[in-house]
């Protein structure tokens, strides 16, 4: 019988992520002869993303993270916090996928603000706009928030 406990599931996820990281490192070493992505800086963001996309298990979010944080190229990664907060704010629709949200949010935010906007949304999602119990009463931008407007009746 297979162990389906949360700890077992966490181990499986960790193993899968570790395997993907090792595979990505092997790919880079095989392609480039060493573990270095500096050559991507000479490419356009689109070219660099296409190169990263050749690695199995490296999806849109990971590619955008590498582009933005490691290479300082314009990309807008969308993680769980950003997806939740931007949906609640009404910047994207409830049905917008994380992959589609990357494209839509990149059109809304000036490229030079991608990094700051990304970091601030994550912090806001962790500290205020939490998943299970958002702290709308302390939110500085609640007056702009679609979720706040929709749930007003339940707060009174």
């Amino acid at each position: 019988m297979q162990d389906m406990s949360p700890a077992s599931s966490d181990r499986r996820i960790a193993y899968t992520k570790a395997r993907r990281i090792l595979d990505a490192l092997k790919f880079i070493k095989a392609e480039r002869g060493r573990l270095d992505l500096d050559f991507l800086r000479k490419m356009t963001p689109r070219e660099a993303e296409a190169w990263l996309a050749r690695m199995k298990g490296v999806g849109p979010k990971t590619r955008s993270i590498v582009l933005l944080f490691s290479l300082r190229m314009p990309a807008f990664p969308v993680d769980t916090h950003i997806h939740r907060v931007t949906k609640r704010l009404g910047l994207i629709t409830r049905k917008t996928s994380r992959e589609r949200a990357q494209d839509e949010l990149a059109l809304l935010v000036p490229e030079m603000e991608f990094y700051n906007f990304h970091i601030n949304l994550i912090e806001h999602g962790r500290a205020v706009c939490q998943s299970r119990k958002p702290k709308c009463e302390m939110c500085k931008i609640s007056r702009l928030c679609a979720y706040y407007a929709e749930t007003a009746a339940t707060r009174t």
Side-chain angles (χ1 to χ4, degrees):
M1 179 178 251
Q2 191 173 15
D3 181 7
M4 297 303 282
S5 68
S8 172
S9 176
D10 289 347
R11 281 192 299 274
R12 249 190 329 278
I13 291 168
Y15 176 82
T16 300
K17 286 183 179 185
R19 180 85 256 144
R20 286 185 179 154
I21 291 168
L22 290 171
D23 288 347
L25 294 171
K26 286 177 188 174
F27 177 87
I28 295 166
K29 177 92 172 170
E31 287 280 316
R32 303 297 303 172
R34 61 191 181 125
L35 296 176
D36 187 0
L37 294 178
D38 277 344
F39 72 96
L40 293 174
R41 295 179 195 282
K42 296 177 184 153
M43 296 181 180
T44 67
R46 181 170 277 149
E47 292 168 337
E49 182 177 11
W51 192 90
L52 292 167
R54 293 173 48 210
M55 286 186 264
K56 183 181 177 199
V58 177
K61 181 180 82 171
T62 301
R63 293 192 303 265
S64 291
I65 287 169
V66 170
L67 292 171
L68 182 64
F69 293 101
S70 296
L71 302 171
R72 298 290 189 216
M73 290 183 174
F76 198 86
V78 175
D79 70 356
T80 302
H81 299 292
I82 289 175
H83 197 235
R84 177 183 67 253
V85 172
T86 56
K87 273 199 278 188
R88 284 183 177 165
L89 287 171
L91 296 176
I92 58 173
T93 69
R94 289 183 181 183
K95 293 182 180 182
T96 303
S97 69
R98 284 200 328 206
E99 291 78 15
R100 183 73 193 130
Q102 285 188 190
D103 297 333
E104 289 182 17
L105 293 169
L107 294 173
L108 290 176
V109 179
E111 284 183 3
M112 61 189 282
E113 293 300 328
F114 281 1
Y115 180 88
N116 291 329
F117 193 64
H118 177 87
I119 295 298
N120 286 321
L121 279 174
I122 288 176
E123 180 58 30
H124 185 69
R126 289 178 179 161
V128 180
C129 196
Q130 298 170 346
S131 178
R132 291 192 177 102
K133 193 170 183 194
K135 300 174 182 175
C136 296
E137 66 286 347
M138 68 178 285
C139 181
K140 303 286 188 208
I141 58 174
S142 60
R143 72 187 191 300
L144 305 171
C145 180
Y147 176 83
Y148 183 78
E150 291 168 12
T151 60
T154 63
R155 282 189 302 279
T156 55

